[in-house]
Amino acid sequence: MTNALELHDITKTYGEGDNMITALASATLAVASDEMIALIGPSGSGKTTLLSIAGGLLSPSSGQVIVGGKDISHASPSELTEVRRSTVGFVFQSVNLVPFLTARENLLLVDELRGSRGKQSRDRADRLLDELGLAKRLNNLPSQLSGGERQRVAIGRALMNEPALVLFDEPTSALDTHLGEQVMELIQSEVKGRGTAAIIITHDRRMTHWCDRTVTILDGHLQTDELATAG
């Protein structure tokens, strides 16, 4: 079975000479097609850089990146855009919903950007929102939704393109413990139910038990994996 993600000896540097900063140092990681990984590390440790490279938002300085069986290490900007449209889903810390679009329209925007629209797209958006407990909120704007509801819309949007890999940047950081547990349970249910892989950046070790394993990063170096007890 093809891994959803493979990073081989990935290095990412900025600047030159004495001013060079190493954000990632020889990072190697494989994520199975149905695996959930928690990525833990302090601010500035390289978590977001790793996530950005895995999702085709950044290119590595050296090393090999394989997403969904495709080597994107030296992909052009247009090729990376297509990877993000077709293979990867993102849930950002700030959610980033379009404020003037309804919950349903925020999901439909994913297909519209791919040049796809119509009844099939609408049915998929409605089905996802129903699974996420938002069937009665699909016509609400983000400002009319709670923080937890906005997070669920963002999860639905990330799943809209049926990705091989979903990347979450601190999905519970703005939520209290109870809501955070609900969101993590929902993420696990949706990801595992679809055989999709996920990497979840989190500062909160209380949330890692929902994942299959935990990977720690420090000063750009990946540490030994820790098995997690799934919730």
Side-chain angles (χ1 to χ4, degrees):
M1 185 179 293
T2 301
N3 286 327
L5 173 69
E6 295 180 19
L7 303 178
H8 297 285
D9 206 24
I10 295 296
T11 296
K12 182 64 177 178
T13 59
Y14 298 96
E16 297 179 352
D18 293 339
N19 295 319
M20 189 171 70
I21 297 172
T22 300
L24 282 179
S26 300
T28 295
L29 178 68
V31 183
S33 59
D34 61 350
E35 188 175 28
M36 281 178 60
I37 289 180
L39 183 62
I40 296 272
S43 296
S45 59
K47 301 187 302 298
T48 300
T49 299
L50 187 148
L51 218 66
S52 297
I53 289 174
L57 293 171
L58 281 178
S59 294
S61 300
S62 62
Q64 187 180 34
V65 184
I66 301 174
V67 180
K70 181 178 181 179
D71 190 335
I72 65 168
S73 312
H74 306 290
S76 67
S78 62
E79 289 171 333
L80 290 177
T81 297
E82 180 54 33
V83 167
R84 294 193 297 271
R85 285 176 178 169
S86 63
T87 310
V88 182
F90 295 91
V91 180
F92 298 102
Q93 184 174 354
S94 58
V95 180
N96 286 346
L97 298 179
V98 180
F100 52 83
L101 296 181
T102 65
R104 186 194 208 192
E105 290 167 342
N106 265 281
L107 269 64
L108 290 173
L109 182 61
V110 174
D111 273 7
E112 289 178 9
L113 290 173
R114 294 192 300 167
S116 176
R117 62 186 68 189
K119 186 178 185 300
Q120 186 174 356
S121 294
R122 291 193 298 273
D123 288 347
R124 175 160 176 75
D126 290 351
R127 186 167 62 252
L128 277 169
L129 290 170
D130 182 46
E131 289 177 11
L132 293 164
L134 294 169
K136 296 182 179 179
R137 308 289 272 165
L138 59 88
N139 291 316
N140 287 88
L141 296 171
S143 61
Q144 298 170 316
L145 302 173
S146 68
E149 288 171 335
R150 289 194 292 271
Q151 192 64 265
R152 280 183 274 165
V153 174
I155 292 168
R157 184 179 59 184
L159 294 169
M160 189 68 183
N161 64 347
E162 300 182 277
L165 176 68
V166 185
L167 305 172
F168 297 85
D169 188 0
E170 296 281 2
T172 64
S173 62
L175 307 176
D176 62 30
T177 301
H178 178 66
L179 278 177
E181 289 282 356
Q182 285 186 343
V183 167
M184 288 300 295
E185 182 178 14
L186 184 63
I187 289 171
Q188 185 196 59
S189 174
E190 293 297 324
V191 167
K192 291 293 186 179
R194 289 174 167 76
T196 300
I199 299 178
I200 302 170
I201 288 179
T202 181
H203 281 94
D204 192 347
R205 283 190 173 271
R206 293 173 300 177
M207 301 298 166
T208 61
H209 68 94
W210 293 103
C211 299
D212 297 303
R213 59 186 167 113
T214 298
V215 177
T216 302
I217 186 169
L218 185 63
D219 296 330
H221 295 268
L222 290 180
Q223 310 293 308
T224 304
D225 293 1
E226 306 168 17
L227 292 178
T229 303

